[in-house]
mmCIF file of all heavy atoms in Angstrom:
data_model
loop_
_atom_site.group_PDB
_atom_site.id
_atom_site.type_symbol
_atom_site.label_atom_id
_atom_site.label_comp_id
_atom_site.label_asym_id
_atom_site.label_seq_id
_atom_site.Cartn_x
_atom_site.Cartn_y
_atom_site.Cartn_z
ATOM 1 N N SER A 1 5.994 -9.455 -1.641
ATOM 2 C CA SER A 1 6.435 -9.404 -0.237
ATOM 3 C C SER A 1 5.727 -8.285 0.510
ATOM 4 O O SER A 1 5.344 -8.456 1.679
ATOM 5 C CB SER A 1 7.945 -9.206 -0.163
ATOM 6 O OG SER A 1 8.632 -10.298 -0.714
ATOM 7 N N SER A 2 5.538 -7.139 -0.140
ATOM 8 C CA SER A 2 4.842 -6.020 0.498
ATOM 9 C C SER A 2 3.424 -6.405 0.879
ATOM 10 O O SER A 2 2.928 -6.059 1.964
ATOM 11 C CB SER A 2 4.818 -4.808 -0.439
ATOM 12 O OG SER A 2 6.121 -4.336 -0.688
ATOM 13 N N VAL A 3 2.740 -7.137 -0.005
ATOM 14 C CA VAL A 3 1.367 -7.568 0.283
ATOM 15 C C VAL A 3 1.336 -8.507 1.483
ATOM 16 O O VAL A 3 0.509 -8.360 2.397
ATOM 17 C CB VAL A 3 0.754 -8.248 -0.960
ATOM 18 C CG1 VAL A 3 -0.597 -8.866 -0.609
ATOM 19 C CG2 VAL A 3 0.591 -7.241 -2.088
ATOM 20 N N LEU A 4 2.234 -9.476 1.505
ATOM 21 C CA LEU A 4 2.252 -10.458 2.587
ATOM 22 C C LEU A 4 2.624 -9.815 3.922
ATOM 23 O O LEU A 4 2.034 -10.130 4.963
ATOM 24 C CB LEU A 4 3.218 -11.586 2.243
ATOM 25 C CG LEU A 4 2.793 -12.476 1.072
ATOM 26 C CD1 LEU A 4 3.921 -13.425 0.688
ATOM 27 C CD2 LEU A 4 1.541 -13.247 1.410
ATOM 28 N N VAL A 5 3.609 -8.922 3.892
ATOM 29 C CA VAL A 5 4.006 -8.241 5.131
ATOM 30 C C VAL A 5 2.869 -7.361 5.642
ATOM 31 O O VAL A 5 2.571 -7.344 6.843
ATOM 32 C CB VAL A 5 5.277 -7.406 4.899
ATOM 33 C CG1 VAL A 5 5.568 -6.534 6.110
ATOM 34 C CG2 VAL A 5 6.465 -8.307 4.608
ATOM 35 N N THR A 6 2.222 -6.644 4.750
ATOM 36 C CA THR A 6 1.110 -5.780 5.147
ATOM 37 C C THR A 6 -0.032 -6.598 5.724
ATOM 38 O O THR A 6 -0.642 -6.225 6.738
ATOM 39 C CB THR A 6 0.613 -4.965 3.944
ATOM 40 O OG1 THR A 6 1.693 -4.194 3.416
ATOM 41 C CG2 THR A 6 -0.521 -4.039 4.340
ATOM 42 N N LEU A 7 -0.334 -7.716 5.092
ATOM 43 C CA LEU A 7 -1.407 -8.589 5.575
ATOM 44 C C LEU A 7 -1.103 -9.104 6.972
ATOM 45 O O LEU A 7 -1.965 -9.079 7.866
ATOM 46 C CB LEU A 7 -1.577 -9.758 4.602
ATOM 47 C CG LEU A 7 -2.659 -10.794 4.921
ATOM 48 C CD1 LEU A 7 -4.032 -10.148 4.885
ATOM 49 C CD2 LEU A 7 -2.588 -11.950 3.936
ATOM 50 N N THR A 8 0.126 -9.538 7.186
ATOM 51 C CA THR A 8 0.519 -10.063 8.499
ATOM 52 C C THR A 8 0.534 -8.960 9.547
ATOM 53 O O THR A 8 0.072 -9.151 10.678
ATOM 54 C CB THR A 8 1.901 -10.729 8.413
ATOM 55 O OG1 THR A 8 1.909 -11.684 7.366
ATOM 56 C CG2 THR A 8 2.252 -11.418 9.719
ATOM 57 N N ALA A 9 1.072 -7.793 9.180
ATOM 58 C CA ALA A 9 1.149 -6.680 10.131
ATOM 59 C C ALA A 9 -0.240 -6.192 10.530
ATOM 60 O O ALA A 9 -0.481 -5.882 11.703
ATOM 61 C CB ALA A 9 1.953 -5.531 9.526
ATOM 62 N N ARG A 10 -1.160 -6.129 9.570
ATOM 63 C CA ARG A 10 -2.509 -5.664 9.891
ATOM 64 C C ARG A 10 -3.224 -6.639 10.803
ATOM 65 O O ARG A 10 -3.984 -6.237 11.707
ATOM 66 C CB ARG A 10 -3.301 -5.466 8.604
ATOM 67 C CG ARG A 10 -4.755 -5.039 8.822
ATOM 68 C CD ARG A 10 -4.846 -3.815 9.727
ATOM 69 N NE ARG A 10 -4.362 -2.612 9.063
ATOM 70 C CZ ARG A 10 -3.928 -1.535 9.692
ATOM 71 N NH1 ARG A 10 -3.870 -1.526 11.025
ATOM 72 N NH2 ARG A 10 -3.512 -0.479 9.037
ATOM 73 N N GLU A 11 -2.994 -7.932 10.614
ATOM 74 C CA GLU A 11 -3.615 -8.931 11.484
ATOM 75 C C GLU A 11 -3.096 -8.811 12.910
ATOM 76 O O GLU A 11 -3.858 -8.958 13.875
ATOM 77 C CB GLU A 11 -3.349 -10.326 10.937
ATOM 78 C CG GLU A 11 -4.033 -11.433 11.733
ATOM 79 C CD GLU A 11 -3.739 -12.812 11.178
ATOM 80 O OE1 GLU A 11 -2.696 -12.984 10.512
ATOM 81 O OE2 GLU A 11 -4.544 -13.724 11.430
ATOM 82 N N LEU A 12 -1.801 -8.528 13.057
ATOM 83 C CA LEU A 12 -1.197 -8.432 14.391
ATOM 84 C C LEU A 12 -1.444 -7.084 15.048
ATOM 85 O O LEU A 12 -1.527 -6.997 16.271
ATOM 86 C CB LEU A 12 0.314 -8.685 14.291
ATOM 87 C CG LEU A 12 0.748 -10.074 13.820
ATOM 88 C CD1 LEU A 12 2.265 -10.113 13.647
ATOM 89 C CD2 LEU A 12 0.301 -11.143 14.792
ATOM 90 N N ALA A 13 -1.523 -6.028 14.249
ATOM 91 C CA ALA A 13 -1.665 -4.665 14.796
ATOM 92 C C ALA A 13 -2.822 -3.959 14.105
ATOM 93 O O ALA A 13 -2.616 -3.158 13.184
ATOM 94 C CB ALA A 13 -0.369 -3.894 14.612
ATOM 95 N N PRO A 14 -4.040 -4.235 14.512
ATOM 96 C CA PRO A 14 -5.202 -3.652 13.834
ATOM 97 C C PRO A 14 -5.299 -2.140 13.954
ATOM 98 O O PRO A 14 -5.948 -1.495 13.127
ATOM 99 C CB PRO A 14 -6.390 -4.342 14.514
ATOM 100 C CG PRO A 14 -5.858 -4.842 15.825
ATOM 101 C CD PRO A 14 -4.423 -5.153 15.593
ATOM 102 N N ASN A 15 -4.649 -1.547 14.956
ATOM 103 C CA ASN A 15 -4.759 -0.101 15.159
ATOM 104 C C ASN A 15 -3.546 0.677 14.679
ATOM 105 O O ASN A 15 -3.539 1.907 14.736
ATOM 106 C CB ASN A 15 -4.988 0.196 16.643
ATOM 107 C CG ASN A 15 -6.284 -0.409 17.161
ATOM 108 O OD1 ASN A 15 -7.295 -0.413 16.458
ATOM 109 N ND2 ASN A 15 -6.263 -0.919 18.382
ATOM 110 N N ALA A 16 -2.519 -0.007 14.222
ATOM 111 C CA ALA A 16 -1.309 0.686 13.768
ATOM 112 C C ALA A 16 -1.532 1.311 12.395
ATOM 113 O O ALA A 16 -2.324 0.807 11.579
ATOM 114 C CB ALA A 16 -0.133 -0.285 13.719
ATOM 115 N N LYS A 17 -0.826 2.397 12.135
ATOM 116 C CA LYS A 17 -0.866 3.025 10.816
ATOM 117 C C LYS A 17 0.169 2.333 9.934
ATOM 118 O O LYS A 17 1.350 2.303 10.263
ATOM 119 C CB LYS A 17 -0.549 4.512 10.919
ATOM 120 C CG LYS A 17 -0.599 5.233 9.577
ATOM 121 C CD LYS A 17 -0.298 6.710 9.736
ATOM 122 C CE LYS A 17 -0.357 7.421 8.397
ATOM 123 N NZ LYS A 17 -0.039 8.870 8.528
ATOM 124 N N ILE A 18 -0.284 1.775 8.823
ATOM 125 C CA ILE A 18 0.603 1.035 7.932
ATOM 126 C C ILE A 18 0.774 1.807 6.631
ATOM 127 O O ILE A 18 -0.205 2.130 5.954
ATOM 128 C CB ILE A 18 0.060 -0.372 7.644
ATOM 129 C CG1 ILE A 18 -0.070 -1.172 8.942
ATOM 130 C CG2 ILE A 18 0.973 -1.108 6.663
ATOM 131 C CD1 ILE A 18 -0.614 -2.573 8.745
ATOM 132 N N VAL A 19 2.025 2.123 6.316
ATOM 133 C CA VAL A 19 2.373 2.795 5.063
ATOM 134 C C VAL A 19 3.232 1.836 4.263
ATOM 135 O O VAL A 19 4.249 1.346 4.764
ATOM 136 C CB VAL A 19 3.127 4.110 5.328
ATOM 137 C CG1 VAL A 19 3.448 4.816 4.008
ATOM 138 C CG2 VAL A 19 2.304 5.023 6.220
ATOM 139 N N ALA A 20 2.816 1.556 3.017
ATOM 140 C CA ALA A 20 3.524 0.574 2.202
ATOM 141 C C ALA A 20 3.880 1.167 0.851
ATOM 142 O O ALA A 20 3.290 2.159 0.408
ATOM 143 C CB ALA A 20 2.670 -0.683 2.014
ATOM 144 N N THR A 21 4.859 0.549 0.224
ATOM 145 C CA THR A 21 5.281 0.976 -1.107
ATOM 146 C C THR A 21 5.219 -0.205 -2.063
ATOM 147 O O THR A 21 5.494 -1.340 -1.676
ATOM 148 C CB THR A 21 6.707 1.557 -1.083
ATOM 149 O OG1 THR A 21 7.102 1.891 -2.420
ATOM 150 C CG2 THR A 21 7.698 0.567 -0.522
ATOM 151 N N VAL A 22 4.814 0.073 -3.306
ATOM 152 C CA VAL A 22 4.806 -0.932 -4.361
ATOM 153 C C VAL A 22 5.486 -0.348 -5.591
ATOM 154 O O VAL A 22 5.543 0.874 -5.768
ATOM 155 C CB VAL A 22 3.378 -1.389 -4.729
ATOM 156 C CG1 VAL A 22 2.751 -2.183 -3.615
ATOM 157 C CG2 VAL A 22 2.511 -0.192 -5.096
ATOM 158 N N ARG A 23 5.983 -1.223 -6.421
ATOM 159 C CA ARG A 23 6.654 -0.771 -7.636
ATOM 160 C C ARG A 23 5.657 -0.476 -8.746
ATOM 161 O O ARG A 23 5.854 0.433 -9.536
ATOM 162 C CB ARG A 23 7.669 -1.825 -8.086
ATOM 163 C CG ARG A 23 8.769 -2.095 -7.079
ATOM 164 C CD ARG A 23 9.684 -3.216 -7.541
ATOM 165 N NE ARG A 23 10.379 -2.864 -8.771
ATOM 166 C CZ ARG A 23 11.535 -2.209 -8.817
ATOM 167 N NH1 ARG A 23 12.125 -1.840 -7.686
ATOM 168 N NH2 ARG A 23 12.106 -1.932 -9.963
ATOM 169 N N GLU A 24 4.594 -1.278 -8.848
ATOM 170 C CA GLU A 24 3.629 -1.150 -9.932
ATOM 171 C C GLU A 24 2.297 -0.636 -9.409
ATOM 172 O O GLU A 24 1.799 -1.107 -8.383
ATOM 173 C CB GLU A 24 3.423 -2.503 -10.625
ATOM 174 C CG GLU A 24 4.704 -3.108 -11.184
ATOM 175 C CD GLU A 24 5.305 -2.266 -12.291
ATOM 176 O OE1 GLU A 24 4.564 -1.503 -12.942
ATOM 177 O OE2 GLU A 24 6.532 -2.370 -12.517
ATOM 178 N N ALA A 25 1.694 0.302 -10.136
ATOM 179 C CA ALA A 25 0.417 0.877 -9.724
ATOM 180 C C ALA A 25 -0.706 -0.157 -9.730
ATOM 181 O O ALA A 25 -1.687 -0.027 -8.985
ATOM 182 C CB ALA A 25 0.062 2.047 -10.644
ATOM 183 N N ASP A 26 -0.596 -1.192 -10.579
ATOM 184 C CA ASP A 26 -1.640 -2.215 -10.644
ATOM 185 C C ASP A 26 -1.782 -2.989 -9.341
ATOM 186 O O ASP A 26 -2.829 -3.614 -9.096
ATOM 187 C CB ASP A 26 -1.331 -3.201 -11.778
ATOM 188 C CG ASP A 26 -1.433 -2.547 -13.151
ATOM 189 O OD1 ASP A 26 -2.074 -1.478 -13.241
ATOM 190 O OD2 ASP A 26 -0.865 -3.093 -14.116
ATOM 191 N N ASN A 27 -0.742 -2.965 -8.509
ATOM 192 C CA ASN A 27 -0.778 -3.710 -7.250
ATOM 193 C C ASN A 27 -1.203 -2.852 -6.061
ATOM 194 O O ASN A 27 -1.244 -3.350 -4.931
ATOM 195 C CB ASN A 27 0.598 -4.315 -6.961
ATOM 196 C CG ASN A 27 1.001 -5.337 -8.000
ATOM 197 O OD1 ASN A 27 0.164 -6.059 -8.527
ATOM 198 N ND2 ASN A 27 2.290 -5.394 -8.306
ATOM 199 N N LYS A 28 -1.520 -1.604 -6.321
ATOM 200 C CA LYS A 28 -1.875 -0.699 -5.227
ATOM 201 C C LYS A 28 -3.122 -1.182 -4.495
ATOM 202 O O LYS A 28 -3.180 -1.133 -3.257
ATOM 203 C CB LYS A 28 -2.094 0.715 -5.773
ATOM 204 C CG LYS A 28 -2.411 1.747 -4.708
ATOM 205 C CD LYS A 28 -2.511 3.145 -5.308
ATOM 206 C CE LYS A 28 -2.820 4.184 -4.231
ATOM 207 N NZ LYS A 28 -2.897 5.558 -4.815
ATOM 208 N N HIS A 29 -4.132 -1.666 -5.250
ATOM 209 C CA HIS A 29 -5.370 -2.094 -4.605
ATOM 210 C C HIS A 29 -5.144 -3.317 -3.717
ATOM 211 O O HIS A 29 -5.856 -3.520 -2.726
ATOM 212 C CB HIS A 29 -6.436 -2.389 -5.664
ATOM 213 C CG HIS A 29 -6.191 -3.642 -6.441
ATOM 214 N ND1 HIS A 29 -5.228 -3.733 -7.434
ATOM 215 C CD2 HIS A 29 -6.768 -4.881 -6.350
ATOM 216 C CE1 HIS A 29 -5.226 -4.953 -7.940
ATOM 217 N NE2 HIS A 29 -6.141 -5.665 -7.300
ATOM 218 N N LEU A 30 -4.136 -4.146 -4.063
ATOM 219 C CA LEU A 30 -3.838 -5.304 -3.227
ATOM 220 C C LEU A 30 -3.327 -4.869 -1.860
ATOM 221 O O LEU A 30 -3.665 -5.476 -0.837
ATOM 222 C CB LEU A 30 -2.817 -6.204 -3.916
ATOM 223 C CG LEU A 30 -3.263 -6.871 -5.223
ATOM 224 C CD1 LEU A 30 -2.106 -7.659 -5.833
ATOM 225 C CD2 LEU A 30 -4.449 -7.779 -4.961
ATOM 226 N N LEU A 31 -2.496 -3.841 -1.849
ATOM 227 C CA LEU A 31 -1.997 -3.313 -0.564
ATOM 228 C C LEU A 31 -3.131 -2.726 0.260
ATOM 229 O O LEU A 31 -3.198 -2.910 1.479
ATOM 230 C CB LEU A 31 -0.921 -2.261 -0.816
ATOM 231 C CG LEU A 31 0.543 -2.706 -0.866
ATOM 232 C CD1 LEU A 31 0.985 -3.283 0.461
ATOM 233 C CD2 LEU A 31 0.781 -3.701 -1.969
ATOM 234 N N LYS A 32 -4.054 -2.025 -0.417
ATOM 235 C CA LYS A 32 -5.193 -1.446 0.288
ATOM 236 C C LYS A 32 -6.072 -2.543 0.884
ATOM 237 O O LYS A 32 -6.521 -2.447 2.034
ATOM 238 C CB LYS A 32 -6.015 -0.584 -0.678
ATOM 239 C CG LYS A 32 -5.365 0.746 -1.028
ATOM 240 C CD LYS A 32 -5.447 1.717 0.146
ATOM 241 C CE LYS A 32 -4.987 3.106 -0.249
ATOM 242 N NZ LYS A 32 -5.101 4.075 0.884
ATOM 243 N N GLN A 33 -6.320 -3.588 0.101
ATOM 244 C CA GLN A 33 -7.134 -4.693 0.596
ATOM 245 C C GLN A 33 -6.449 -5.438 1.731
ATOM 246 O O GLN A 33 -7.115 -6.000 2.609
ATOM 247 C CB GLN A 33 -7.452 -5.661 -0.548
ATOM 248 C CG GLN A 33 -8.396 -5.098 -1.600
ATOM 249 C CD GLN A 33 -8.630 -6.059 -2.748
ATOM 250 O OE1 GLN A 33 -8.055 -7.151 -2.781
ATOM 251 N NE2 GLN A 33 -9.475 -5.661 -3.694
ATOM 252 N N SER A 34 -5.124 -5.447 1.728
ATOM 253 C CA SER A 34 -4.375 -6.141 2.779
ATOM 254 C C SER A 34 -4.331 -5.361 4.077
ATOM 255 O O SER A 34 -3.920 -5.911 5.103
ATOM 256 C CB SER A 34 -2.952 -6.436 2.295
ATOM 257 O OG SER A 34 -2.968 -7.259 1.152
ATOM 258 N N GLY A 35 -4.724 -4.080 4.026
ATOM 259 C CA GLY A 35 -4.794 -3.305 5.267
ATOM 260 C C GLY A 35 -3.909 -2.084 5.329
ATOM 261 O O GLY A 35 -3.807 -1.449 6.385
ATOM 262 N N ALA A 36 -3.259 -1.710 4.214
ATOM 263 C CA ALA A 36 -2.402 -0.523 4.239
ATOM 264 C C ALA A 36 -3.249 0.738 4.282
ATOM 265 O O ALA A 36 -4.247 0.863 3.563
ATOM 266 C CB ALA A 36 -1.494 -0.507 3.011
ATOM 267 N N ASP A 37 -2.870 1.690 5.130
ATOM 268 C CA ASP A 37 -3.565 2.981 5.196
ATOM 269 C C ASP A 37 -3.147 3.891 4.054
ATOM 270 O O ASP A 37 -3.968 4.645 3.523
ATOM 271 C CB ASP A 37 -3.264 3.661 6.542
ATOM 272 C CG ASP A 37 -3.779 2.844 7.711
ATOM 273 O OD1 ASP A 37 -5.005 2.719 7.845
ATOM 274 O OD2 ASP A 37 -2.956 2.326 8.482
ATOM 275 N N SER A 38 -1.870 3.841 3.700
ATOM 276 C CA SER A 38 -1.353 4.655 2.602
ATOM 277 C C SER A 38 -0.435 3.785 1.748
ATOM 278 O O SER A 38 0.303 2.958 2.277
ATOM 279 C CB SER A 38 -0.591 5.878 3.121
ATOM 280 O OG SER A 38 -1.414 6.683 3.936
ATOM 281 N N VAL A 39 -0.487 4.009 0.427
ATOM 282 C CA VAL A 39 0.350 3.254 -0.490
ATOM 283 C C VAL A 39 1.066 4.229 -1.414
ATOM 284 O O VAL A 39 0.434 5.113 -2.012
ATOM 285 C CB VAL A 39 -0.473 2.256 -1.330
ATOM 286 C CG1 VAL A 39 0.435 1.496 -2.293
ATOM 287 C CG2 VAL A 39 -1.226 1.286 -0.427
#
């Protein structure tokens, strides 16, 4: 859900600062690729 929300938010708000949280470190790169500034 974090990946999908981040992807949608980045598409709608390209200039907003997006901070996301994940439970597993292996998924951190997915959040970064989806547009999160900080994970």
Side-chain angles (χ1 to χ4, degrees):
S1 296
S2 296
V3 172
L4 292 171
V5 171
T6 302
L7 180 64
T8 307
R10 177 53 71 203
E11 184 181 24
L12 296 175
N15 298 322
K17 181 179 180 181
I18 300 179
V19 182
T21 177
V22 291
R23 299 176 63 87
E24 302 296 336
D26 293 341
N27 296 325
K28 182 176 180 179
H29 72 285
L30 295 176
L31 268 297
K32 286 287 188 178
Q33 291 177 358
S34 300
D37 297 293
S38 302
V39 179

